[in-house]
Amino acid sequence: METDFDYVCDVLVAGSGASGLTAALAAHDAGGEPLVLEASDLLGGSSAMSGGEVWIPNNPLMKPAGARDSEEEARTYLDSIIGEEAPESSRERRETFIKQGPEMVSWLTRLGMEFQWVPFPDYYPENPGGKGTADGRSLEAKFFDLKTLGGWQDKVRGNASFNIQVPMLMHGNEAPKVPLAVRSLKGFATGAKIFGVRTIGPVLKGQKAVSSGGAFIGRLLALAFERSIPVWAESPLLDLITDSGEVVGATVLHRGRTMRIGARRGVVLTTGGFAHNDEMRTEYHQQPTESRWSAATDSDSGAGVQAGIDVGAATAMMSEKWWMPTVINPDGSTGFMMWERFFPYSIIVDSSGERFANEALPYNELRRAMQERNEKVGSIPSYLIMDSRHRRYYPFGTMLPGITPKSAIESGFMVKADSLDDLARQCGINASGLRSTVERFNRFAATGKDEDFGRGDSEFDRFDSDPRVKPNPNLGAIQKGPFYAVKVYPGDIGTKGGLLTDEYARVLRAEDGQPIPGLYAAGNMSASVMGKGYAGPGGTLAPAMVFGMIGGRHAIENND
């Protein structure tokens, strides 16, 4: 092994998101000395910006909550959404995820992590092995006070979930109730609790409390700092260092200084994907595609993926992303299209004025439908069409119910018109097509049955809905002006393809499919075990953390 290094550790972890911090904790717990690198000046990556759920079937917090599950049901469900086996979603990798997921939760809990069960339905609860709200498989981190991190408290990346840029202390399952604050007592009480007691209480106590992804990263960082695991911010990975085919370290730009970091037991790449690398998006993704449509962190540059490719790593699913319909906010930032499309009095149409999918589909599937539709009819951008009741009853991003700032209209973010024909004209939508679509949809709203796409049939659809609207809480006629429209883009929350790994998180060579000695990968820079599927809330973070744990352990226990 080379000895000309500026710094040497046992395991070098590139990336400070959930997978990277979990890998570092696993390496330390196995007796090693890890070092965590982060390219930007903020920690946590896209994990910190997420809703912070992890989807772990048959996890140890389910049974105490009265939720029922088994390995067999999890296996059946995953097979139903992933389909045939592929290198990234092989039987071995699926089984490892199913069996090691509960172990990951138990192990982190022993270290001091505080999880709590969240009653969320799977994204396809009616599938074989699927679970509804009462038997949800998702967990989240308990609220966390960032001030316990001392000088690092301002270094955790801010949360961008739900297209709302204000601090909120919210449990994941409360999200559907927040938009109903003016529609139900439960919604009002939930909103009052979140924006009142939970906002003011921690401030009065001198805390800097966070929830969702911020809480997850904060708690993982606290565990790392308790164990004196070094974390270097502003330290992007430049390339990997090899010796006789083995990865023995990496070249890093640490705060402006180029350094050679040695890794005695291995390198774990968790730098995220290439969501903000337009060159790679152009090469690998279906067009059109733009990085500005992505809600992933700006540092999601593809550096780790390219470093792996440069040393001969195999790749898989490079054309795939964790799809998410997005909007471009008036200030130019990217916003998630989350609850707005679930609620009544709205539809999504393409340039012909026609619907092409159930608007309440899991975001991964809706975005895919948008891209596929674009091959036949111009659907990029598509348009969320709303009547006045949608704006009166529900928030849209940061806009409160009943309040549409002039800036939203003047910036072009939201189009407003007194008639559907004028709305179509302003948006460039076929007016007769839109009229016909609305007339047909309104008949569905009256009967409560979406005969075209089944909106409101699934428990997942109804999880985000307005129970006051009958007979279908996801449907509501579009008939009362003024009418509104917002452009919807085929965005993402990160890329899904990347380096091909085995069930031990070892990166495999393109040449012969064998592991590259000393190289591991987890998270969005590795091809996901989920294949093209998306199991439920936390279906991104869960495999990232499970294989991060496995990679960190394996590096220490199997590389002398």
Side-chain angles (χ1 to χ4, degrees), residues 344-426:
Y345 314 113
S346 68
I347 55 174
I348 292 178
V349 301
D350 56 27
S351 60
S352 73
E354 296 182 2
R355 297 171 70 213
F356 52 88
N358 168 9
E359 293 84 355
L361 280 172
Y363 43 84
N364 194 57
E365 191 171 339
L366 178 60
R367 190 270 183 217
R368 192 186 303 279
M370 187 187 304
Q371 192 86 50
E372 292 175 353
R373 176 70 170 181
N374 193 60
E375 297 176 3
K376 302 175 182 178
V377 178
S379 63
I380 299 178
S382 295
Y383 290 84
L384 179 72
I385 307 295
M386 302 163 279
D387 92 345
S388 60
R389 287 168 293 184
H390 193 288
R391 272 285 53 237
R392 188 187 316 150
Y393 296 153
Y394 318 119
F396 195 109
T398 58
M399 292 186 291
L400 296 175
I403 301 176
T404 304
K406 287 184 178 180
S407 59
I409 306 298
E410 293 173 351
S411 67
F413 169 73
M414 185 170 282
V415 178
K416 179 181 179 181
D418 291 329
S419 69
L420 287 173
D421 281 359
D422 188 31
L423 191 74
R425 179 189 62 78
Q426 292 187 57

Coordinates of all heavy atoms in Angstrom, one line a residue, residues 344-426:
P344 N -58.9 18.2 -4.1 CA -60.0 18.4 -5.1 C -59.9 19.7 -5.8 O -59.1 20.6 -5.4 CB -61.3 18.3 -4.2 CG -60.9 17.7 -2.9 CD -59.4 18.0 -2.7
Y345 N -60.7 19.9 -6.8 CA -60.8 21.1 -7.6 C -59.6 21.3 -8.4 O -59.2 22.5 -8.6 CB -61.2 22.3 -6.7 CG -62.3 22.0 -5.7 CD1 -62.0 22.0 -4.3 CD2 -63.6 21.8 -6.1 CE1 -63.0 21.7 -3.4 CE2 -64.6 21.5 -5.2 CZ -64.3 21.5 -3.8 OH -65.3 21.2 -2.9
S346 N -58.9 20.3 -8.8 CA -57.7 20.4 -9.6 C -57.5 19.2 -10.5 O -57.9 18.1 -10.2 CB -56.5 20.6 -8.7 OG -56.2 19.4 -8.0
I347 N -56.8 19.5 -11.6 CA -56.3 18.4 -12.5 C -55.0 18.8 -13.1 O -54.6 20.0 -13.0 CB -57.3 18.1 -13.7 CG1 -57.6 19.4 -14.4 CG2 -58.6 17.5 -13.2 CD1 -58.4 19.2 -15.7
I348 N -54.3 17.8 -13.6 CA -53.0 18.1 -14.4 C -53.3 17.7 -15.8 O -53.7 16.6 -16.1 CB -51.8 17.4 -13.8 CG1 -51.5 17.9 -12.4 CG2 -50.6 17.5 -14.7 CD1 -50.4 17.1 -11.7
V349 N -53.0 18.7 -16.7 CA -53.2 18.4 -18.1 C -51.9 18.7 -18.9 O -51.0 19.4 -18.4 CB -54.3 19.3 -18.7 CG1 -55.6 19.0 -18.0 CG2 -54.0 20.8 -18.6
D350 N -51.8 18.2 -20.2 CA -50.7 18.5 -21.1 C -51.1 19.6 -22.0 O -52.2 20.3 -21.8 CB -50.3 17.2 -21.8 CG -51.5 16.6 -22.6 OD1 -52.4 17.3 -23.0 OD2 -51.4 15.4 -22.8
S351 N -50.3 19.8 -23.0 CA -50.6 21.0 -24.0 C -51.9 20.8 -24.8 O -52.5 21.7 -25.3 CB -49.4 21.2 -24.9 OG -49.2 20.0 -25.7
S352 N -52.4 19.5 -24.9 CA -53.6 19.3 -25.6 C -54.8 19.5 -24.7 O -56.0 19.5 -25.2 CB -53.7 17.8 -26.1 OG -53.9 16.9 -25.0
G353 N -54.6 19.8 -23.4 CA -55.7 20.0 -22.5 C -56.2 18.8 -21.9 O -57.2 18.8 -21.2
E354 N -55.5 17.6 -22.1 CA -56.0 16.3 -21.6 C -55.2 15.9 -20.4 O -54.1 16.2 -20.2 CB -55.9 15.3 -22.7 CG -56.7 15.5 -23.9 CD -56.6 14.4 -25.0 OE1 -55.9 13.4 -24.7 OE2 -57.2 14.5 -26.0
R355 N -56.0 15.2 -19.5 CA -55.3 14.5 -18.4 C -54.6 13.3 -19.0 O -55.0 12.7 -20.0 CB -56.3 14.0 -17.4 CG -57.1 15.1 -16.7 CD -58.2 14.5 -15.8 NE -57.7 13.8 -14.7 CZ -58.3 12.7 -14.1 NH1 -59.4 12.2 -14.7 NH2 -57.7 12.1 -13.0
F356 N -53.5 12.8 -18.3 CA -52.8 11.6 -18.8 C -52.5 10.7 -17.6 O -51.8 9.6 -17.9 CB -51.5 12.0 -19.5 CG -50.6 13.0 -18.7 CD1 -49.7 12.5 -17.8 CD2 -50.8 14.4 -18.8 CE1 -48.9 13.4 -17.1 CE2 -50.0 15.2 -18.1 CZ -49.0 14.7 -17.2
A357 N -52.9 11.0 -16.4 CA -52.6 10.1 -15.3 C -53.5 10.5 -14.1 O -54.1 11.6 -14.1 CB -51.1 10.2 -14.9
N358 N -53.5 9.7 -13.1 CA -54.1 10.0 -11.8 C -53.2 11.0 -11.1 O -52.0 10.7 -10.8 CB -54.2 8.7 -11.0 CG -54.5 8.9 -9.5 OD1 -54.8 10.0 -9.1 ND2 -54.4 7.9 -8.7
E359 N -53.7 12.2 -10.9 CA -52.8 13.2 -10.3 C -52.3 12.9 -8.9 O -51.3 13.5 -8.5 CB -53.6 14.5 -10.2 CG -54.0 15.2 -11.5 CD -55.3 14.6 -12.2 OE1 -55.8 13.6 -11.6 OE2 -55.7 15.1 -13.2
A360 N -52.9 12.0 -8.2 CA -52.5 11.6 -6.9 C -51.6 10.4 -6.9 O -51.4 9.8 -5.8 CB -53.8 11.3 -6.0
L361 N -51.1 10.0 -8.0 CA -50.2 8.9 -8.0 C -49.0 9.1 -7.1 O -48.6 10.3 -6.9 CB -49.6 8.6 -9.5 CG -50.5 7.9 -10.5 CD1 -49.9 8.0 -11.9 CD2 -50.7 6.4 -10.0
P362 N -48.3 8.1 -6.7 CA -47.0 8.3 -6.0 C -46.1 9.2 -7.0 O -46.1 8.9 -8.2 CB -46.4 6.9 -5.9 CG -47.6 6.1 -5.8 CD -48.6 6.7 -6.7
Y363 N -45.4 10.1 -6.4 CA -44.7 11.1 -7.2 C -43.7 10.5 -8.2 O -43.5 10.9 -9.4 CB -43.9 12.1 -6.4 CG -43.2 11.6 -5.2 CD1 -41.9 11.1 -5.3 CD2 -43.8 11.7 -3.9 CE1 -41.3 10.7 -4.1 CE2 -43.1 11.3 -2.8 CZ -41.9 10.8 -2.9 OH -41.2 10.4 -1.8
N364 N -43.1 9.3 -7.9 CA -42.2 8.6 -8.8 C -42.9 8.2 -10.0 O -42.4 8.3 -11.1 CB -41.6 7.4 -8.0 CG -40.4 6.8 -8.8 OD1 -39.4 7.5 -9.0 ND2 -40.5 5.6 -9.1
E365 N -44.1 7.8 -9.9 CA -44.9 7.2 -11.0 C -45.5 8.4 -11.8 O -45.6 8.3 -13.1 CB -46.0 6.3 -10.5 CG -46.6 5.5 -11.7 CD -47.5 4.4 -11.1 OE1 -47.4 4.0 -10.0 OE2 -48.4 4.0 -11.9
L366 N -46.0 9.4 -11.2 CA -46.6 10.5 -11.9 C -45.6 11.2 -12.8 O -45.9 11.5 -14.0 CB -47.2 11.6 -10.9 CG -47.8 12.8 -11.6 CD1 -48.9 12.4 -12.5 CD2 -48.3 13.8 -10.5
R367 N -44.4 11.4 -12.3 CA -43.4 12.1 -13.1 C -43.0 11.2 -14.3 O -42.8 11.7 -15.4 CB -42.2 12.4 -12.2 CG -41.1 13.3 -12.9 CD -40.1 12.4 -13.6 NE -39.0 13.2 -14.2 CZ -38.5 13.0 -15.4 NH1 -39.0 12.0 -16.1 NH2 -37.5 13.7 -15.8
R368 N -42.9 9.9 -14.1 CA -42.6 9.0 -15.2 C -43.7 9.0 -16.3 O -43.4 9.1 -17.5 CB -42.5 7.5 -14.7 CG -41.9 6.6 -15.7 CD -42.0 5.1 -15.1 NE -41.3 5.0 -13.8 CZ -40.0 4.9 -13.7 NH1 -39.2 4.9 -14.8 NH2 -39.4 4.7 -12.5
A369 N -45.0 9.1 -15.8 CA -46.1 9.2 -16.8 C -46.0 10.5 -17.6 O -46.3 10.6 -18.8 CB -47.4 9.2 -16.0
M370 N -45.5 11.6 -16.9 CA -45.4 12.9 -17.6 C -44.3 12.8 -18.7 O -44.5 13.2 -19.9 CB -45.0 13.9 -16.6 CG -44.9 15.4 -17.2 SD -44.2 16.6 -16.0 CE -45.3 16.3 -14.6
Q371 N -43.2 12.1 -18.4 CA -42.2 11.9 -19.4 C -42.6 11.1 -20.6 O -42.3 11.4 -21.7 CB -40.9 11.3 -18.8 CG -39.7 11.4 -19.6 CD -38.9 12.7 -19.4 OE1 -38.6 13.1 -18.3 NE2 -38.5 13.3 -20.5
E372 N -43.3 10.0 -20.3 CA -43.8 9.1 -21.3 C -44.8 9.8 -22.2 O -44.8 9.6 -23.4 CB -44.3 7.8 -20.7 CG -43.3 6.9 -20.0 CD -43.9 5.7 -19.3 OE1 -45.1 5.7 -19.2 OE2 -43.1 4.9 -18.8
R373 N -45.7 10.6 -21.6 CA -46.7 11.3 -22.3 C -46.1 12.3 -23.3 O -46.6 12.5 -24.4 CB -47.6 12.0 -21.4 CG -48.7 12.9 -22.0 CD -49.7 12.1 -22.7 NE -50.9 12.9 -23.1 CZ -51.9 12.4 -23.7 NH1 -52.0 11.1 -24.0 NH2 -52.9 13.2 -24.1
N374 N -44.9 12.9 -22.9 CA -44.3 13.9 -23.7 C -43.8 13.3 -25.1 O -43.6 14.0 -26.0 CB -43.1 14.5 -23.0 CG -42.6 15.7 -23.6 OD1 -43.3 16.7 -23.8 ND2 -41.3 15.7 -24.0
E375 N -43.6 12.0 -25.1 CA -43.2 11.4 -26.4 C -44.4 11.4 -27.4 O -44.1 11.2 -28.6 CB -42.8 9.9 -26.1 CG -41.5 9.8 -25.2 CD -41.1 8.4 -24.9 OE1 -41.8 7.5 -25.5 OE2 -40.2 8.2 -24.2
K376 N -45.6 11.6 -26.9 CA -46.8 11.6 -27.8 C -47.3 13.0 -28.0 O -47.7 13.4 -29.1 CB -47.8 10.6 -27.3 CG -47.4 9.2 -27.1 CD -48.4 8.3 -26.4 CE -48.0 6.9 -26.2 NZ -49.0 6.0 -25.6
V377 N -47.5 13.6 -26.8 CA -48.1 15.0 -26.8 C -47.2 15.8 -25.9 O -46.7 15.4 -24.9 CB -49.5 15.0 -26.3 CG1 -50.1 16.4 -26.2 CG2 -50.4 14.1 -27.1
G378 N -47.0 17.1 -26.3 CA -46.2 18.0 -25.4 C -46.7 18.1 -24.0 O -47.8 18.6 -23.8
S379 N -46.0 17.5 -23.0 CA -46.5 17.5 -21.7 C -45.4 18.1 -20.7 O -45.5 18.0 -19.5 CB -46.8 16.1 -21.2 OG -45.7 15.3 -21.2
I380 N -44.4 18.7 -21.3 CA -43.3 19.3 -20.5 C -43.2 20.8 -20.9 O -42.7 21.1 -22.0 CB -42.0 18.6 -20.7 CG1 -42.1 17.2 -20.3 CG2 -40.9 19.3 -19.9 CD1 -40.8 16.3 -20.5
P381 N -43.6 21.7 -20.1 CA -44.3 21.5 -18.8 C -45.7 21.0 -19.0 O -46.4 21.3 -20.0 CB -44.2 22.8 -18.1 CG -44.3 23.8 -19.2 CD -43.6 23.2 -20.4
S382 N -46.3 20.4 -17.9 CA -47.7 20.2 -17.8 C -48.2 21.3 -16.9 O -47.5 22.2 -16.4 CB -48.0 18.8 -17.1 OG -47.5 17.8 -18.0
Y383 N -49.5 21.3 -16.7 CA -50.2 22.4 -15.9 C -51.1 21.8 -14.9 O -52.0 21.0 -15.2 CB -50.9 23.4 -16.8 CG -50.0 24.2 -17.7 CD1 -49.6 23.7 -18.9 CD2 -49.6 25.5 -17.3 CE1 -48.7 24.4 -19.7 CE2 -48.8 26.2 -18.1 CZ -48.4 25.7 -19.3 OH -47.5 26.5 -20.1
L384 N -50.9 22.3 -13.6 CA -51.9 22.0 -12.6 C -53.0 23.1 -12.8 O -52.7 24.3 -12.6 CB -51.3 22.1 -11.2 CG -52.3 21.8 -10.1 CD1 -52.7 20.4 -10.0 CD2 -51.7 22.3 -8.7
I385 N -54.2 22.7 -13.1 CA -55.4 23.6 -13.3 C -56.2 23.5 -12.0 O -56.6 22.4 -11.5 CB -56.2 23.1 -14.5 CG1 -55.3 23.0 -15.8 CG2 -57.4 24.1 -14.7 CD1 -54.7 24.3 -16.2
M386 N -56.6 24.7 -11.5 CA -57.3 24.8 -10.2 C -58.5 25.8 -10.4 O -58.3 26.8 -11.1 CB -56.4 25.3 -9.1 CG -55.2 24.4 -8.8 SD -53.9 25.3 -7.9 CE -53.1 26.3 -9.1
D387 N -59.6 25.5 -9.7 CA -60.6 26.5 -9.7 C -60.5 27.3 -8.4 O -59.6 27.0 -7.6 CB -62.0 25.9 -9.9 CG -62.8 25.5 -8.6 OD1 -62.1 25.4 -7.6 OD2 -64.0 25.2 -8.8
S388 N -61.3 28.3 -8.2 CA -61.1 29.2 -7.1 C -61.2 28.6 -5.7 O -60.5 29.0 -4.8 CB -62.2 30.3 -7.2 OG -63.5 29.8 -7.1
R389 N -61.9 27.4 -5.6 CA -62.0 26.8 -4.3 C -60.7 26.2 -3.9 O -60.4 26.1 -2.7 CB -63.1 25.7 -4.4 CG -64.5 26.4 -4.4 CD -65.6 25.4 -4.7 NE -65.4 24.9 -6.1 CZ -66.3 24.1 -6.6 NH1 -67.4 23.6 -6.0 NH2 -66.2 23.7 -7.9
H390 N -59.9 25.7 -4.8 CA -58.6 25.1 -4.5 C -57.7 26.2 -3.9 O -57.0 26.0 -2.8 CB -57.9 24.6 -5.7 CG -56.7 23.7 -5.5 ND1 -55.5 24.2 -5.1 CD2 -56.5 22.4 -5.6 CE1 -54.6 23.2 -4.9 NE2 -55.2 22.1 -5.2
R391 N -57.7 27.4 -4.4 CA -56.9 28.5 -3.9 C -57.5 29.0 -2.6 O -56.8 29.5 -1.7 CB -56.9 29.7 -4.9 CG -55.8 29.6 -5.9 CD -54.4 30.0 -5.4 NE -53.9 29.3 -4.2 CZ -53.5 29.8 -3.1 NH1 -53.5 31.1 -3.0 NH2 -53.1 29.1 -2.1
R392 N -58.9 28.9 -2.4 CA -59.5 29.4 -1.2 C -59.3 28.5 -0.1 O -59.1 28.9 1.1 CB -61.0 29.6 -1.5 CG -61.8 30.3 -0.4 CD -63.3 30.3 -0.6 NE -63.6 30.6 -2.0 CZ -64.6 30.1 -2.6 NH1 -65.4 29.3 -2.0 NH2 -64.8 30.4 -3.9
Y393 N -59.3 27.2 -0.3 CA -59.3 26.2 0.8 C -57.9 25.7 1.2 O -57.7 25.4 2.3 CB -60.1 25.0 0.4 CG -61.6 25.2 0.2 CD1 -62.3 24.4 -0.7 CD2 -62.2 26.3 0.8 CE1 -63.6 24.6 -0.9 CE2 -63.6 26.5 0.6 CZ -64.3 25.7 -0.3 OH -65.6 25.8 -0.5
Y394 N -56.9 25.7 0.2 CA -55.7 25.0 0.5 C -54.5 25.9 0.2 O -54.5 26.7 -0.7 CB -55.6 23.7 -0.4 CG -56.8 22.9 -0.5 CD1 -57.5 22.7 -1.8 CD2 -57.4 22.4 0.6 CE1 -58.6 22.0 -1.9 CE2 -58.6 21.7 0.5 CZ -59.2 21.5 -0.7 OH -60.4 20.8 -0.8
P395 N -53.4 25.7 0.9 CA -52.2 26.4 0.6 C -51.5 25.9 -0.7 O -51.8 24.8 -1.1 CB -51.3 26.1 1.8 CG -51.7 24.8 2.3 CD -53.2 24.7 2.1
F396 N -50.7 26.7 -1.2 CA -49.9 26.3 -2.4 C -48.5 26.7 -2.1 O -48.1 27.9 -2.2 CB -50.4 26.9 -3.7 CG -49.8 26.3 -4.9 CD1 -50.6 25.5 -5.7 CD2 -48.5 26.3 -5.2 CE1 -50.1 24.8 -6.9 CE2 -47.9 25.7 -6.3 CZ -48.8 24.9 -7.1
G397 N -47.6 25.8 -1.7 CA -46.3 26.1 -1.3 C -46.4 27.1 -0.1 O -47.0 26.7 0.9
T398 N -45.8 28.2 -0.2 CA -45.8 29.2 0.9 C -47.0 30.1 0.9 O -47.2 30.9 1.8 CB -44.5 30.1 0.8 OG1 -44.5 30.7 -0.5 CG2 -43.3 29.2 1.0
M399 N -47.9 30.0 -0.1 CA -49.0 30.8 -0.2 C -50.2 30.2 0.6 O -50.5 29.1 0.5 CB -49.5 31.0 -1.7 CG -48.6 31.7 -2.5 SD -49.2 32.1 -4.2 CE -49.2 30.4 -4.9
L400 N -50.7 31.0 1.6 CA -51.7 30.6 2.5 C -53.1 30.5 1.7 O -53.2 31.1 0.6 CB -51.9 31.6 3.6 CG -50.7 31.7 4.6 CD1 -50.9 32.8 5.6 CD2 -50.4 30.4 5.2
P401 N -54.0 29.7 2.2 CA -55.3 29.6 1.6 C -55.9 30.9 1.4 O -55.9 31.7 2.4 CB -56.1 28.7 2.6 CG -55.1 27.9 3.3 CD -53.9 28.8 3.4
G402 N -56.5 31.2 0.3 CA -57.2 32.4 0.0 C -56.3 33.6 -0.2 O -56.9 34.7 -0.5
I403 N -55.0 33.4 -0.2 CA -54.1 34.6 -0.4 C -53.2 34.3 -1.6 O -52.4 33.4 -1.5 CB -53.3 34.9 0.8 CG1 -54.2 35.2 2.0 CG2 -52.3 36.1 0.5 CD1 -53.5 35.5 3.3
T404 N -53.4 35.0 -2.7 CA -52.5 34.8 -3.9 C -51.8 36.1 -4.1 O -52.4 37.1 -4.7 CB -53.3 34.4 -5.1 OG1 -54.1 33.2 -4.8 CG2 -52.4 34.2 -6.3
P405 N -50.5 36.3 -3.7 CA -49.8 37.5 -3.8 C -49.7 37.9 -5.3 O -49.6 37.1 -6.2 CB -48.4 37.2 -3.2 CG -48.7 36.0 -2.4 CD -49.7 35.2 -3.0
K406 N -49.7 39.3 -5.5 CA -49.5 39.8 -6.9 C -48.2 39.3 -7.5 O -48.2 39.0 -8.7 CB -49.5 41.3 -6.9 CG -50.9 41.9 -6.6 CD -50.8 43.4 -6.7 CE -52.2 44.1 -6.5 NZ -52.1 45.6 -6.6
S407 N -47.2 39.1 -6.7 CA -45.9 38.6 -7.2 C -46.0 37.3 -7.8 O -45.3 37.0 -8.8 CB -44.9 38.6 -6.1 OG -45.3 37.7 -5.0
A408 N -46.9 36.4 -7.3 CA -47.1 35.1 -7.9 C -47.6 35.2 -9.3 O -47.3 34.4 -10.2 CB -48.0 34.2 -7.0
I409 N -48.5 36.1 -9.6 CA -49.1 36.3 -10.9 C -48.1 37.1 -11.8 O -47.8 36.7 -12.9 CB -50.4 37.1 -10.8 CG1 -51.4 36.3 -9.8 CG2 -51.0 37.2 -12.2 CD1 -51.7 34.9 -10.2
E410 N -47.6 38.2 -11.3 CA -46.7 39.0 -12.1 C -45.4 38.3 -12.5 O -44.9 38.6 -13.6 CB -46.4 40.3 -11.3 CG -47.6 41.2 -11.1 CD -47.3 42.4 -10.2 OE1 -46.2 42.4 -9.5 OE2 -48.2 43.3 -10.0
S411 N -44.9 37.4 -11.7 CA -43.7 36.7 -12.0 C -44.0 35.6 -13.0 O -43.0 35.0 -13.6 CB -43.1 36.0 -10.7 OG -44.0 35.0 -10.3
G412 N -45.2 35.3 -13.3 CA -45.6 34.2 -14.2 C -45.6 32.8 -13.6 O -45.9 31.8 -14.2
F413 N -45.4 32.8 -12.3 CA -45.4 31.5 -11.6 C -46.8 30.9 -11.6 O -47.0 29.7 -11.9 CB -45.0 31.7 -10.1 CG -45.3 30.5 -9.2 CD1 -44.5 29.3 -9.4 CD2 -46.3 30.5 -8.3 CE1 -44.7 28.2 -8.6 CE2 -46.5 29.4 -7.5 CZ -45.7 28.3 -7.6
M414 N -47.8 31.7 -11.4 CA -49.2 31.3 -11.4 C -50.0 32.2 -12.4 O -49.8 33.4 -12.5 CB -49.8 31.4 -10.0 CG -51.2 30.9 -9.9 SD -51.8 30.8 -8.1 CE -50.9 29.4 -7.5
V415 N -50.8 31.5 -13.3 CA -51.6 32.2 -14.3 C -53.0 32.2 -13.7 O -53.5 31.2 -13.2 CB -51.6 31.4 -15.6 CG1 -52.5 32.1 -16.6 CG2 -50.1 31.4 -16.1
K416 N -53.7 33.4 -13.9 CA -55.0 33.6 -13.3 C -55.9 34.1 -14.5 O -55.5 34.9 -15.3 CB -55.0 34.6 -12.2 CG -56.4 34.9 -11.6 CD -56.2 35.9 -10.5 CE -57.6 36.2 -9.8 NZ -57.5 37.3 -8.8
A417 N -57.1 33.5 -14.6 CA -58.1 33.9 -15.6 C -59.5 33.7 -15.2 O -59.8 32.8 -14.3 CB -57.8 33.1 -16.9
D418 N -60.4 34.5 -15.7 CA -61.8 34.4 -15.4 C -62.5 33.3 -16.0 O -63.6 32.8 -15.6 CB -62.5 35.7 -15.7 CG -62.1 36.9 -14.8 OD1 -61.7 36.6 -13.6 OD2 -62.1 38.0 -15.2
S419 N -61.9 32.8 -17.1 CA -62.5 31.7 -17.9 C -61.5 30.6 -18.2 O -60.3 30.9 -18.3 CB -63.2 32.2 -19.2 OG -62.2 32.6 -20.1
L420 N -61.9 29.4 -18.4 CA -61.0 28.3 -18.8 C -60.4 28.6 -20.2 O -59.2 28.3 -20.4 CB -61.7 27.0 -18.8 CG -62.0 26.4 -17.5 CD1 -62.9 25.1 -17.6 CD2 -60.8 26.0 -16.7
D421 N -61.2 29.2 -21.1 CA -60.6 29.5 -22.4 C -59.5 30.5 -22.3 O -58.4 30.4 -23.0 CB -61.7 30.1 -23.3 CG -62.6 29.0 -23.9 OD1 -62.4 27.8 -23.6 OD2 -63.6 29.4 -24.6
D422 N -59.6 31.5 -21.5 CA -58.6 32.5 -21.3 C -57.4 31.9 -20.6 O -56.2 32.2 -21.0 CB -59.1 33.7 -20.5 CG -58.1 34.9 -20.5 OD1 -57.3 35.0 -21.5 OD2 -58.1 35.6 -19.5
L423 N -57.6 31.0 -19.7 CA -56.5 30.4 -19.0 C -55.7 29.5 -20.0 O -54.5 29.6 -20.0 CB -57.1 29.5 -17.9 CG -56.0 28.9 -16.9 CD1 -55.5 30.0 -15.9 CD2 -56.6 27.7 -16.1
A424 N -56.5 28.8 -20.9 CA -55.8 28.0 -21.9 C -55.0 28.9 -22.8 O -53.8 28.5 -23.2 CB -56.8 27.2 -22.6
R425 N -55.5 30.0 -23.2 CA -54.8 30.9 -24.1 C -53.5 31.4 -23.5 O -52.5 31.4 -24.2 CB -55.7 32.1 -24.5 CG -55.0 33.1 -25.4 CD -55.9 34.4 -25.5 NE -56.1 35.0 -24.3 CZ -55.1 35.8 -23.7 NH1 -53.9 36.0 -24.3 NH2 -55.4 36.4 -22.5
Q426 N -53.6 31.8 -22.2 CA -52.4 32.3 -21.6 C -51.3 31.2 -21.4 O -50.1 31.5 -21.4 CB -52.7 32.9 -20.2 CG -53.6 34.1 -20.3 CD -53.7 34.7 -18.9 OE1 -52.7 35.1 -18.2 NE2 -55.0 34.9 -18.4

